[in-house]
Amino acid sequence: MSNLNVVPVSPHETAPRHVKLLILGSGPAGLAAALYAARAELAPVVISGTELGGQAALTFSIENYPGFPEGVGGAELGDLFQKQAERFGAQVEFDSAYNVDLSKRPFKVATDNGEIQADALIITTGASPIHLNIPGEQELTGKGVSYCGTCDGWFFKDKRVVVVGGGDSALEEGLFLTRYGSSVTLFHRRDSLRAGAVLQKRALEHPKMKFIWNTVLAEVVGNEKVEAVRTKNVQTGEESLFHTDGVFIFVGHTPNTKMFEGQLEMENGYIKVDDHMNTSVAGVYAAGEAADPHFRQVITSAGMGAAAAIEATHFLERETG
Ligand SMILES: Cc1cc2nc3c(=O)[nH]c(=O)nc-3n(C[C@H](O)[C@H](O)[C@H](O)COP(=O)(O)OP(=O)(O)OC[C@H]3O[C@@H](n4cnc5c(N)ncnc54)[C@H](O)[C@@H]3O)c2cc1C
């Protein structure tokens, strides 16, 4: 977790309080929404969740966010987002939401610290890459283990890279990684790929890509950075050590949207929004990876957050003056 500053909230606070605009999530989408809403003088409250700064704060360096020609640390970028929003009156609280009632306004949100009622709500709870849950994976995340080729590929120029997965994301990101890596070796637990035919053909014919079938990762090995992976053939049980500099894991993504099921329209777990970030409930907006299975970048998530805040501002002007 990053060490961003947060406003402490008493754990014993139970009486519901009322805010104009509540934002769930403190990743790029939530903090960009907070900045825009704060500048519209809505005094937004941001419920941070357990990952202050969001997924972006997990990565060592972000080099594709405009305005930082030398790149910026992921946690530092989250900190800057937060400070900028707070400068205009946003309040970031270290707290998590676990239940919502969106059936009527004010919307009710149950958090670990009590109930909050809000005239408008922006959901930016993001998504989490599915992890393999093997030894070394968590410890070496950001030190060679990554869940985003577009983000981290550049760091692996002329290095050996391993990709895990057999779907579209694994192949798309694997092909992207061939621009940088000296070799891209894909490990798949089955003997055939799930990805689309065109993508499969391109990947299978690519001179830099190699495929190891029927094999799973059992461990990521390394001290300060990834040095190898221990693999296991699922048919023979044979274990091997495979030397690599990077491990890119693409075995799926789960949007953090479970608590909205049955209350908002969704598609494959992602909250459905129109191009103004409206959800199926008036006054409830969603932005960033909670609503976007496609782009999954800091800049696109922040852009969606800003758009949601602009729309929420108009909504509140219409509804409450
Ligand atoms: C290792 C890694 C490296 C990356 N590198 C880059 C990069 O270089 N460039 C780039 O553009 N993108 C990168 N990405 C992708 C980028 O981080 C995401 O696209 C972006 O963070 C999504 O922003 P978001 O605000 O939609 O969601 P998230 O960043 O996922 O934030 C979600 C927020 O919601 C909060 N939350 C979740 N559940 C609850 C709850 N119940 N109550 C309250 N809050 C909740 C979390 O605590 C978190 O603050 C990377 C991702 C990873 C994992």
Side-chain angles (χ1 to χ4, degrees):
M1 188 193 302
S2 83
N3 59 356
L4 303 182
N5 297 320
V6 286
V7 176
V9 174
S10 158
H12 305 299
E13 184 181 327
T14 48
R17 64 184 167 133
H18 183 269
V19 300
K20 275 191 209 157
L21 178 64
L22 187 65
I23 299 170
L24 300 183
S26 62
L31 293 174
L35 169 65
Y36 273 70
R39 284 177 55 78
E41 305 207 314
L42 294 175
V45 170
V46 178
I47 299 300
S48 67
T50 52
E51 271 179 12
L52 275 163
Q55 293 173 66
L58 296 175
T59 193
F60 175 69
S61 177
I62 293 185
E63 305 208 325
N64 55 4
Y65 191 77
F68 296 92
E70 305 304 324
V72 58
E76 187 191 347
L77 184 62
D79 198 13
L80 291 169
F81 271 37
Q82 182 183 346
K83 284 200 174 99
Q84 195 173 355
E86 284 174 340
R87 187 180 144 217
F88 295 101
Q91 187 166 315
V92 179
E93 300 182 357
F94 190 64
D95 192 3
S96 283
Y98 63 86
N99 200 9
V100 292
D101 178 357
L102 308 180
S103 59
K104 58 178 189 305
R105 284 196 296 125
F107 306 117
K108 294 190 181 72
V109 177
T111 79
D112 293 343
N113 289 319
E115 183 180 301
I116 305 177
Q117 301 190 347
D119 294 329
L121 181 68
I122 299 180
I123 300 166
T124 64
T125 45
S128 307
I130 295 175
H131 293 187
L132 298 175
N133 292 320
I134 55 173
E137 180 184 14
Q138 194 186 343
E139 297 85 333
L140 293 167
T141 292
K143 298 173 183 167
V145 173
S146 171
Y147 303 88
C148 179
T150 317
C151 320
D152 295 335
W154 193 87
F155 298 108
F156 294 87
K157 265 190 178 155
D158 301 323
K159 303 222 162 126
R160 295 158 302 182
V161 166
V162 156
V163 167
V164 184
D168 284 342
S169 294
L171 292 205
E172 265 167 23
E173 301 271 319
L175 282 164
F176 181 80
L177 288 166
T178 59
R179 297 173 187 211
Y180 306 104
S182 54
S183 67
V184 176
T185 307
L186 185 140
F187 286 83
H188 188 37
R189 64 191 159 138
R190 302 208 171 86
D191 61 1
S192 60
L193 300 164
R194 274 181 294 113
V198 175
L199 211 47
Q200 284 201 33
K201 187 168 182 311
R202 277 179 53 212
L204 290 164
E205 288 176 356
H206 198 288
K208 274 194 187 173
M209 285 195 77
K210 298 182 184 65
F211 294 80
I212 299 187
W213 307 107
N214 301 313
T215 302
V216 294
L217 264 53
E219 183 183 355
V220 185
V221 182
N223 282 320
E224 286 303 301
K225 58 185 176 61
V226 168
E227 289 160 20
V229 286
R230 195 161 54 76
T231 66
K232 183 175 179 183
N233 184 302
V234 292
Q235 291 182 334
T236 62
E238 188 189 342
E239 293 200 357
S240 316
L241 200 65
F242 187 92
H243 291 280
T244 185
D245 302 295
V247 183
F248 286 82
I249 299 165
F250 306 111
V251 293
H253 241 73
T254 320
N256 303 317
T257 56
K258 214 157 180 44
M259 79 181 111
F260 310 106
E261 273 173 12
Q263 305 204 49
L264 295 176
E265 272 182 36
M266 306 226 193
E267 197 169 340
N268 297 326
Y270 291 87
I271 299 170
K272 271 175 103 170
V273 289
D274 65 13
D275 55 6
H276 287 202
M277 308 304 133
N278 291 294
T279 68
S280 52
V281 172
V284 178
Y285 304 84
E289 289 201 16
D292 169 27
H294 189 65
F295 295 111
R296 295 185 193 150
Q297 296 292 292
V298 173
I299 189 165
T300 51
S301 301
M304 289 174 79
I310 292 169
E311 288 303 308
T313 306
H314 293 158
F315 172 82
L316 289 169
E317 271 165 10
R318 281 195 308 272
E319 295 294 315
T320 59

